[in-house]
Amino acid sequence: MKVIIAKNYNEMSKMAANFIAKEIKEKENITLGLATGSTPEGTYKELIKKNLDWSLVKVFNLDEYIGINGEHEASYRFFMNQKLFNHININKNNTFIPSGIADPKIEGPAYEKSIEKSGSIDVQLLGIGGNAHIGFNEPFSEEYSTTQEVKLVESTINANARMFKNKEDVPKTAISMGIATIMKAKKILLIASGTKKAQAILNTIEGKITGNVPASYLQKHQDVTLIIDEEAAKLLKK
Ligand code: GLP
C-alpha cells in the first residue's frame, strides 16, 4: 500500500483530485468507482474546478440507502448529482448508483453485471468509516461478497444521522458493492481525514487482515494508494 500524508483536509482533497484527474486525462473513457460522505466532497470540488472532459467517463457508485429514492435529499444519488454530476459534462446515463427502492436480490446481481459490461472499474475512490467500513461493508463482512443488501451498525447510523431530519429516519439497511466488487478495481484510492479516522487507518494499514476491519482486505490488492491527512495518520507507527 502506498501511503501519502497530506497536511490537512484541503491538501488531501487537492492531491486526490490530481490523482483522479491524471487518470481521466490518460483514459478518456475511464470507468470510475466513486464514494459519498463528507470526505470526498473537497475532492469533488477540486475536480469540478479542473474543467475536465467527462463526456466519455462512466461512474459506478459504491452504495445507496435502502428505502429512499434518488430525490430524497439524503440519498447518495442526490448527493452525487449535487456535489459532482450537475457541475461536469458527464452523461447522466453513464452514472450508476444501486437503486435503494428496487429488490436488492435482483438489483445486486444486476449491478455487478453492469460493472462487468463496462469492462471493470479502473479507479475506485473510497472513504472509510470510523469502524473501517468501506462502501457500507461493516465489520465481519465477507471477503467474497458482491453487491448486496447490508445491515448498518449503530455507529454508522449515528454517524450518518446528520444527513437526515431525525435519527429515526436513517435507513437501517443499504445496498453496497461487496468487498470482492471493490477488490476487482484495477486501482484503489482511499482518502481519510481527521482524528476520528486515525484508529481505522492504523488497523487498515498496520493491522492484520480481518473481516473485523473491512478495509484491511485492501492490503491484498496490488495497487492501493491512501491519501490521508496528518490527523488521520497520527497513530501510524511504521
Ligand atoms: C458512509 C459511506 C462510506 C463512507 C463513510 C464515511 O458510510 N457509505 O462510503 O466512506 O460514510 O463517511 P465520511 O466521509 O462522511 O466520514
Side-chain angles (χ1 to χ4, degrees):
M1 286 173 142
K2 187 172 168 202
V3 182
I4 299 171
I5 300 178
K7 266 200 271 351
N8 51 35
Y9 178 81
N10 286 343
E11 192 179 81
M12 177 205 76
S13 303
K14 286 195 175 120
M15 287 171 130
N18 289 343
F19 184 106
I20 296 167
K22 183 168 173 276
E23 299 287 337
I24 296 174
K25 282 182 194 152
E26 274 169 20
K27 186 177 177 188
E28 58 180 4
N29 62 344
I30 194 169
T31 299
L32 296 175
L34 292 181
T36 51
S38 313
T39 314
E41 275 192 48
T43 304
Y44 296 151
K45 273 196 191 134
E46 293 296 330
L47 275 172
I48 292 164
K49 283 192 213 158
K50 290 181 186 290
N51 278 321
L52 298 162
D53 181 11
W54 293 77
S55 57
L56 298 177
V57 176
K58 259 193 190 165
V59 169
F60 286 90
N61 258 74
L62 285 165
D63 47 13
E64 181 60 279
Y65 291 108
I66 284 184
I68 59 177
N69 68 24
E71 261 109 67
H72 192 292
E73 289 189 8
S75 74
Y76 286 166
R77 162 56 73 182
F78 193 87
F79 175 101
M80 290 307 296
N81 286 346
Q82 294 288 314
K83 307 288 180 192
L84 184 66
F85 300 152
N86 289 349
H87 310 280
I88 56 176
N89 70 334
I90 200 163
N91 176 348
K92 285 253 177 82
N93 294 329
N94 287 338
T95 67
F96 300 88
I97 300 182
S99 165
I101 49 171
D103 176 350
K105 287 204 174 64
I106 296 168
E107 179 69 0
Y111 201 66
E112 290 288 328
K113 276 226 173 78
S114 50
I115 296 173
E116 264 167 44
K117 223 176 103 190
S118 87
S120 67
I121 291 176
D122 293 297
V123 181
Q124 174 68 56
L125 176 68
L126 297 174
I128 187 167
N131 60 3
H133 72 232
I134 46 176
F136 264 134
N137 295 286
E138 300 281 24
F140 304 109
S141 292
E142 290 274 344
E143 184 174 358
Y144 300 105
S145 52
T146 53
T147 306
Q148 62 177 343
E149 178 172 0
V150 289
K151 265 203 180 130
L152 306 184
V153 301
E154 196 62 27
S155 61
T156 301
I157 292 171
N158 291 335
N160 293 358
R162 65 187 194 280
M163 319 288 185
F164 292 82
K165 285 201 185 83
N166 309 298
K167 192 190 145 190
E168 297 70 54
D169 298 339
V170 185
K172 308 281 181 289
T173 54
I175 177 163
S176 176
M177 280 188 199
I179 300 289
T181 323
I182 293 169
M183 292 293 281
K184 270 197 245 159
K186 290 187 195 143
K187 252 183 214 182
I188 295 178
L189 171 63
L190 186 147
I191 55 176
S193 165
T195 48
K196 62 178 194 294
K197 301 292 171 69
Q199 187 64 47
I201 287 296
L202 172 69
N203 297 344
T204 297
I205 301 173
E206 295 181 15
K208 60 174 198 287
I209 301 172
T210 160
N212 195 16
V213 179
S216 68
Y217 287 124
L218 300 175
Q219 290 178 28
K220 292 191 177 184
H221 194 281
Q222 302 286 320
D223 194 345
V224 180
T225 303
L226 290 96
I227 303 180
I228 58 180
D229 69 6
E230 281 174 3
E231 286 187 354
K234 74 172 190 178
L235 298 176
L236 294 177
K237 293 177 190 80
K238 290 184 188 151

